[in-house]
Amino acid sequence: MKQLLATAAAVIALPLGAAADSHARELPPLVMQPNAERVTFEHIDALNACDWDRLMAQYPEEVLIILPNGVWVEGRSAIGDVFAGFCTPREDGGFIGATFIAEKVKTVGDTVNVSWRVEADWLAEPYKGADAYVTRDGLMYVQVTTFDPGAMVFAE
């Protein structure tokens, strides 16, 4: 599991020191949303706010995020580590200040597919990608993402 977490952190360029800090944090209670779209847009809003508690309130224990290159991160604790690193200042390798903007959305059953762009003062140009969010019972169970910081063009 530690190897998987290290691989996932390397793939999305998060500081492992910040990621390890989430083990000390208590996971918040789950907060169910009324439908798949609300789950998705709560996720995007919490991501834009870098609100770790709101992000983690969506993920049941059996959650899975599939990252580029086929890297899997499974379980609330491991995903909490990833988002703890994500929700740090840019100078520490995190993404505070990034804004994810949904460009196209298509819902099929309880799966919401989103093409998005990221804008930030520290990006030289917007970065585009897509996610598929598989929801059930008002929670996020699987996320497949193209998010790859290595493909971002950072301002100098």
Side-chain angles (χ1 to χ4, degrees):
M1 183 62 181
K2 287 185 181 187
Q3 175 64 27
L4 177 61
L5 180 56
T7 302
V11 167
I12 57 178
L14 299 177
L16 286 174
D21 290 344
S22 76
H23 282 300
R25 296 177 81 169
E26 184 175 327
L27 289 165
L30 296 174
V31 177
M32 291 180 270
Q33 299 297 323
N35 58 50
E37 289 86 3
R38 291 285 298 272
V39 172
T40 299
F41 288 102
E42 169 62 10
H43 171 76
I44 293 170
D45 191 55
L47 195 62
N48 286 338
C50 269
D51 187 327
W52 187 86
D53 288 319
R54 281 177 58 203
L55 283 163
M56 295 314 301
Q58 302 184 291
Y59 295 119
E61 192 54 48
E62 59 272 28
V63 66
L64 164 66
I65 295 180
I66 303 174
L67 300 166
N69 298 312
V71 175
W72 284 33
V73 181
E74 296 183 82
R76 279 185 101 196
S77 179
I79 288 170
D81 289 344
V82 170
F83 282 116
F86 183 96
C87 293
T88 59
R90 182 69 219 135
E91 59 268 15
D92 295 331
F95 294 91
I96 288 177
T99 302
F100 286 76
I101 301 158
E103 293 187 323
K104 290 186 99 174
V105 178
K106 176 138 180 122
T107 303
V108 179
D110 286 335
T111 300
V112 181
N113 304 283
V114 180
S115 293
W116 43 258
R117 75 178 185 280
V118 177
E119 296 181 353
D121 292 343
W122 36 263
L123 285 174
E125 60 189 42
Y127 170 71
K128 292 189 174 202
D131 290 344
Y133 302 101
V134 181
T135 72
R136 186 176 73 222
D137 300 326
L139 297 171
M140 181 93 61
Y141 278 82
V142 178
Q143 178 182 349
V144 180
T145 185
T146 64
F147 185 74
D148 178 5
M152 298 173 121
V153 179
F154 295 96
E156 295 185 28

